[in-house]
Amino acid sequence: MEIIKTHYNRRSFLKVSAAAGGGLMIGFNWLMSCAPSDEKGTLAMPDEWFDINAYLKIGNNGVVTIYSPNPEIGQNVKTAMPMIVAEELDVDWGNVLVEQAPLNTIKYKRQLAGGSQSIRQEWKTLRIAGATARRMLMEAAAQKWQVPVSELTTDKGVIKNASGKTLGYGEVASQAVSVEIPEEVQLKDAKDFKIIGKPTKNVDNKKVYTGQPLFGLDIKREGMLIAMIAHAPAFGMRPKSVDDSAARNMPGIKDVFTITTLPDGIEPQWSDVNAFKELVVVVGDNTWNVMQAKKALKIEWEATSELMSTEGYEKALSDLLEKKADKPARMDGNPDEVFKKAAKIVERTYSAPFLAHNTMEPMNFFAHVTADGAELLGPIQTPEQLRTTTAAVLGLPQEKVTVGMTRQGGGFGRRLYGHFGVEAAVIAKYVNAPIKLVYTREDDMTQGTYRPAYKVKYQAAIDKNNNLVGIKIRGAGIHESPVFANRFPAGAVDHYLVENHSLDSNISTGAWRAPRSNFMAIAEQSFLDEVAEAVGKDPIDFRLELLDRAATKPVGERNDYDAARYAGVLKLVREKSGWDEKKDGVHRGVSAYFCHNSYVAQVLDVVMKNSKPVVQKVWCAVDCGIVVNPEGAKNQLEGGIVDGLGHTMYSEMTFKDGKPDQNNFHNYKLIRNSEAPLEIECFFVENGIDPTGLGEPGLPPAGAALANALYAATGKRLSTQPFAKSELAIITM
């Protein structure tokens, strides 16, 4: 049992000063406060609520409401974070309701969905919140019974003393709010967990499948108008003139105007990525009318910078791969010398295109700006950053801007960049009315913030004894190199060189699920398979030998990974998949990758049917520390695997003179249900380590395992994505 100081984040434990009436500590809007998340729908509402701390309140009947502080983008934190609080509170999960907390940086530490960090960053804070509340309830009961608190125990929301008397949490909640916050509390041992580690249904399931209002697109307000934007058709263009006469005269149209969303003088944040800051806006009474009026606009556009095409940046990236970097990102030993003496050199270049995020729910945001302040509400991964930029653009103090978070129909990094929320605020101020900004699918797919296009060149030096003695990696990408200099196999090879290049572009890019790793895992793990074949070793044995070297005699001191944990998932997936058992007609691929503080290994089986591959099964072994909710964890892994396979095989964004060639799902292919793996089986390493990342680590290895399985099936190594278009591909899925 761990003793921990509660001042870990003392601001997270602010209490209300008065117990009577309880009330909500945090102001909620209609969308998030109409009813708590309760799948069973059978809990009786209490007559009074008592706020114990910023994370929870308890009703006089023992029902507990737990606030989930972070944005919910489908990664299941709205269920998992309250589970952690409930565990340390020692309450029956069946008596818990969950509400989404709005942005409040005084009460909460990190309200951001990104980098697979929500559970990892808040693990201790959430546990302390539950444990602190439990201790305060026990103190209140001890005072009522006039007994030492050390004689009390709790179980499922009930306090029991040595003589067998019991009190429900609701019976002492009113007294608990006036108890001093304890200086330290005891946290449970993992072996005593009753909620953490148990498969638990998503708290919003019923609302999702019955169509109750949860998402930004569900927002409705009295007097609310609908807004849509027209941005330039090509990156590097802006509006020169607008003929809106036809649009203005169409039914239901209130106004047409041009705005600038980030004026000169406003210091942009990292989250303010937006290639199109000058927009033509149509505002009207409903989505259909506004959409038709937008189509009627006659806009003349002018070029302000180079209009790039796919052929141009592909050549520029290829040229960079032939250029030595001014300074290496990492160099161990003497790579040039061992390459000169190598008996054999294995070399391959890998490339990947721009990718759109394509969240199921397109971008949208509600805004109402008055003289008193601004209210924003919608799907956003970075509410604090949105508030900062909006306040600056509107000229308001930050405390006058509120940001509420709805459930999001997908994020994948797209909603880290909140320009659509800023656009909504600027539009609302201009029309002096509440508005909901709605993007069409075409708007979303063509305005940017894509996964960058990347290229990387791998070279391996093999000596006369068939040993790997050196590796060179040179990466290039739009706005950034994809290479992580200190990741595996760095530290496992004596002579190692990494060089990075980047290419400027007016095509806007940003994080896409498992940034950089989503490409590098495919390149790295495909190449290691090729090297394993070149030295005549089994792919898993070869990786384990490298990891053993990194564990027992590492090269350098800047290796980002734990070699033992890395090897652990490879051994587990080998065991569970029966890797060493050969099956007729089954072609296997393996991969293992470390990112977002977690380790994932996958084995993928492909069978050929009618000359086409079918992914029969994927085995997935994961070391992410303690798994809070196995059901949610498996959902994330399965979704990541399907997502990784689909984008590796099919998806791309290409450009002609700055204009995207793809603008909807008829010409941007996503994986179909019939193309998904027939079966996915997930396994977790049980090591008691505090939770690490999970939303992203399952995706990167999938494409690599696919590439290696397709090589086994066809004898062709695929290195250019999407594989279905690759000149090396002799098959299509």
Side-chain angles (χ1 to χ4, degrees):
M1 190 171 288
E2 181 180 4
I3 308 295
I4 193 163
K5 297 289 184 181
T6 57
H7 60 68
Y8 173 84
N9 184 23
R10 195 172 183 90
R11 67 179 183 174
S12 295
F13 302 100
L14 300 176
K15 297 189 301 174
V16 289
S17 56
L24 284 171
M25 179 183 292
I26 308 165
F28 285 82
N29 55 68
W30 74 274
L31 188 66
M32 293 181 286
S33 63
C34 53
S37 299
D38 169 25
E39 182 156 320
K40 297 178 289 301
T42 57
L43 295 181
M45 290 299 100
D47 297 321
E48 288 184 297
W49 287 105
F50 303 98
D51 296 277
I52 307 300
N53 59 45
Y55 289 85
L56 65 98
K57 61 180 180 178
I58 299 177
N60 64 314
N61 64 347
V63 171
V64 179
T65 290
I66 299 177
Y67 304 119
S68 183
N70 282 32
E72 174 59 67
I73 56 175
Q75 83 281 43
N76 208 44
V77 294
K78 193 176 176 183
T79 303
M81 296 182 99
M83 285 175 67
I84 298 169
V85 177
E87 179 67 72
E88 293 292 351
L89 180 61
D90 205 8
V91 67
D92 188 336
W93 182 251
N95 287 332
V96 171
L97 304 175
V98 175
E99 292 190 18
Q100 176 70 58
L103 177 66
N104 191 316
T105 53
I106 295 175
K107 294 171 182 171
Y108 303 110
K109 180 183 176 184
R110 180 186 180 273
Q111 291 183 274
L112 184 150
S116 301
Q117 293 287 300
S118 292
I119 298 298
R120 179 173 181 264
Q121 293 284 348
E122 298 302 306
W123 171 247
K124 284 283 177 68
T125 301
L126 294 163
R127 294 183 72 187
I128 292 171
T132 301
R134 174 176 171 268
R135 176 71 183 203
M136 291 164 66
L137 290 161
M138 293 173 70
E139 292 277 6
Q143 292 174 15
K144 189 168 186 174
W145 281 326
Q146 293 296 295
V147 298
V149 72
S150 59
E151 293 182 3
L152 306 184
T153 59
T154 63
D155 182 43
K156 294 185 176 181
V158 175
I159 304 167
K160 186 177 181 179
N161 67 18
S163 65
K165 289 184 179 180
T166 61
L167 281 171
Y169 283 178
E171 297 177 77
V172 291
S174 61
Q175 291 80 34
V177 295
S178 58
V179 170
E180 275 299 312
I181 298 172
E183 297 235 347
E184 59 183 27
V185 292
Q186 286 186 334
L187 302 182
K188 288 184 178 181
D189 288 331
K191 64 181 177 58
D192 297 323
F193 288 162
K194 302 171 186 175
I195 297 173
I196 293 173
K198 301 297 186 295
T200 304
K201 296 294 182 184
N202 190 302
V203 295
D204 281 337
N205 271 358
K206 185 175 181 180
K207 287 186 176 182
V208 170
Y209 65 67
T210 58
Q212 296 180 49
L214 277 173
F215 300 92
L217 284 173
D218 296 327
I219 296 170
K220 295 180 181 178
R221 286 285 183 87
E222 185 69 30
M224 183 182 78
L225 300 174
I226 299 296
M228 290 184 135
I229 61 173
H231 63 258
F235 291 87
M237 297 187 104
R238 53 168 284 181
K240 181 178 181 181
S241 64
V242 180
D243 179 355
D244 59 15
S245 55
R248 284 184 176 277
N249 293 322
M250 295 179 74
I253 300 306
K254 304 297 184 184
D255 204 352
V256 182
F257 51 92
T258 301
I259 60 168
T260 299
T261 57
L262 203 63
D264 292 339
I266 302 297
E267 185 68 28
Q269 300 185 87
W270 66 266
S271 59
D272 292 327
V273 175
N274 183 10
F276 303 103
K277 299 180 177 65
E278 295 180 68
L279 309 171
V280 182
V281 181
V282 182
V283 177
D285 57 5
N286 64 58
T287 304
W288 178 255
N289 285 342
V290 173
M291 190 181 296
Q292 300 314 303
K294 180 184 166 187
K295 293 176 182 178
L297 293 172
K298 296 179 181 179
I299 307 174
E300 181 183 2
W301 306 95
E302 62 179 357
T304 58
S305 60
E306 179 186 3
L307 304 180
M308 296 186 71
S309 295
T310 298
E311 294 79 8
Y313 69 71
E314 285 278 359
K315 182 181 185 306
L317 290 175
S318 295
D319 290 345
L320 285 173
L321 288 188
E322 302 306 315
K323 179 182 177 184
K324 191 172 182 64
D326 295 334
K327 182 180 179 181
R330 174 169 178 151
M331 186 168 70
D332 298 325
N334 192 336
D336 287 342
E337 190 64 27
V338 297
F339 269 83
K340 287 178 184 177
K341 297 179 180 179
K344 185 191 306 182
I345 293 176
V346 180
E347 178 179 311
R348 193 165 298 277
T349 297
Y350 301 85
S351 64
F354 285 97
L355 291 178
H357 292 80
N358 287 323
T359 60
M360 186 60 67
E361 177 193 20
M363 302 305 105
N364 67 90
F365 229 79
F366 170 84
H368 189 195
V369 179
T370 66
D372 297 326
E375 178 196 3
L376 277 72
L377 173 61
I380 183 70
Q381 292 179 239
T382 49
E384 182 178 358
Q385 287 71 23
L386 173 59
R387 181 180 65 184
T388 299
T389 298
T390 300
V393 170
L394 297 180
L396 292 171
Q398 288 196 35
E399 60 269 20
K400 293 290 187 179
V401 179
T402 65
V403 179
M405 293 170 275
T406 60
R407 190 178 181 90
Q408 301 170 51
F412 315 121
R414 173 62 187 89
R415 290 185 162 101
L416 290 169
Y417 309 100
H419 62 84
F420 51 96
V422 179
E423 290 166 355
V426 174
I427 293 168
K429 181 178 180 180
Y430 186 95
V431 300
N432 195 28
I435 67 100
K436 180 168 65 176
L437 173 65
V438 178
Y439 277 34
T440 63
R441 178 64 61 190
E442 290 82 359
D443 292 332
D444 190 20
M445 197 179 291
T446 61
Q447 71 80 49
T449 323
Y450 305 114
R451 195 282 300 271
Y454 294 126
K455 285 186 183 292
V456 65
K457 182 178 181 180
Y458 272 84
Q459 296 173 296
I462 299 170
D463 69 13
K464 62 183 181 180
N465 297 317
N466 229 23
N467 296 313
L468 171 65
V469 292
I471 284 182
K472 291 183 178 182
I473 307 170
R474 185 175 291 165
I478 304 295
H479 298 143
E480 64 180 9
S481 168
V483 184
F484 298 90
N486 301 318
R487 286 194 185 170
F488 183 73
V493 182
D494 287 324
H495 306 279
Y496 194 81
L497 176 67
V498 175
E499 296 178 292
N500 290 323
H501 293 288
S502 63
L503 181 69
D504 288 337
S505 171
N506 54 23
I507 300 173
S508 55
T509 62
W512 191 97
R513 192 175 187 179
R516 296 160 61 195
S517 297
N518 53 56
F519 167 67
M520 283 306 300
I522 299 170
E524 171 197 293
Q525 292 292 304
S526 297
F527 188 70
L528 288 178
D529 251 42
E530 189 167 357
V531 176
E533 183 181 48
V535 298
K537 293 181 178 178
D538 173 85
I540 292 182
D541 288 342
F542 177 65
R543 288 170 172 83
L544 289 175
E545 287 178 13
L546 291 174
L547 288 165
D548 182 65
R549 168 66 194 279
T552 59
K553 194 178 178 183
V555 180
E557 299 177 353
R558 295 175 295 144
N559 305 319
D560 290 345
Y561 58 94
D562 182 320
R565 294 179 68 189
Y566 213 139
V569 291
L570 265 169
K571 292 174 182 177
L572 181 59
V573 83
R574 179 169 65 181
E575 172 198 340
K576 296 297 185 181
S577 67
W579 173 259
D580 298 318
E581 302 169 12
K582 305 305 177 185
K583 303 176 185 177
D584 290 340
V586 177
H587 311 282
R588 318 196 88 177
V590 66
S591 67
Y593 197 71
F594 162 75
C595 71
H596 297 85
N597 304 288
S598 293
Y599 302 80
V600 178
Q602 295 173 5
V603 167
L604 182 147
D605 280 1
V606 162
V607 296
M608 303 300 293
K609 292 188 177 180
N610 301 320
S611 300
K612 293 184 178 181
V614 174
V615 180
Q616 193 173 51
K617 184 169 181 177
V618 179
W619 288 264
C620 181
V622 184
D623 182 347
C624 61
I626 294 170
V627 178
V628 175
N629 182 3
E631 180 161 315
K634 288 180 180 179
N635 287 342
Q636 289 186 74
L637 291 168
E638 290 169 358
I641 289 167
V642 173
D643 201 10
L645 294 177
H647 281 87
T648 302
M649 196 71 193
Y650 303 119
S651 304
E652 67 174 339
M653 292 293 302
T654 58
F655 302 85
K656 180 66 176 176
D657 295 329
K659 182 178 180 180
D661 294 318
Q662 296 78 25
N663 65 0
N664 210 318
F665 296 137
H666 69 290
N667 54 14
Y668 185 101
K669 185 174 179 184
L670 295 174
I671 193 169
R672 305 297 196 260
N673 286 343
S674 61
E675 296 156 343
L678 301 180
E679 185 179 357
I680 299 174
E681 194 170 4
C682 300
F683 306 91
F684 296 94
V685 174
E686 296 182 9
N687 53 19
I689 295 172
D690 286 355
T692 54
L694 194 58
E696 292 159 288
L699 182 146
L706 175 65
N708 293 331
L710 290 177
Y711 171 71
T714 68
K716 300 290 184 181
R717 292 202 180 274
L718 304 180
S719 57
T720 301
Q721 299 176 50
F723 289 169
K725 278 187 63 177
S726 171
E727 61 186 4
L728 298 176
I730 61 171
I731 51 176
T732 57
M733 290 180 73

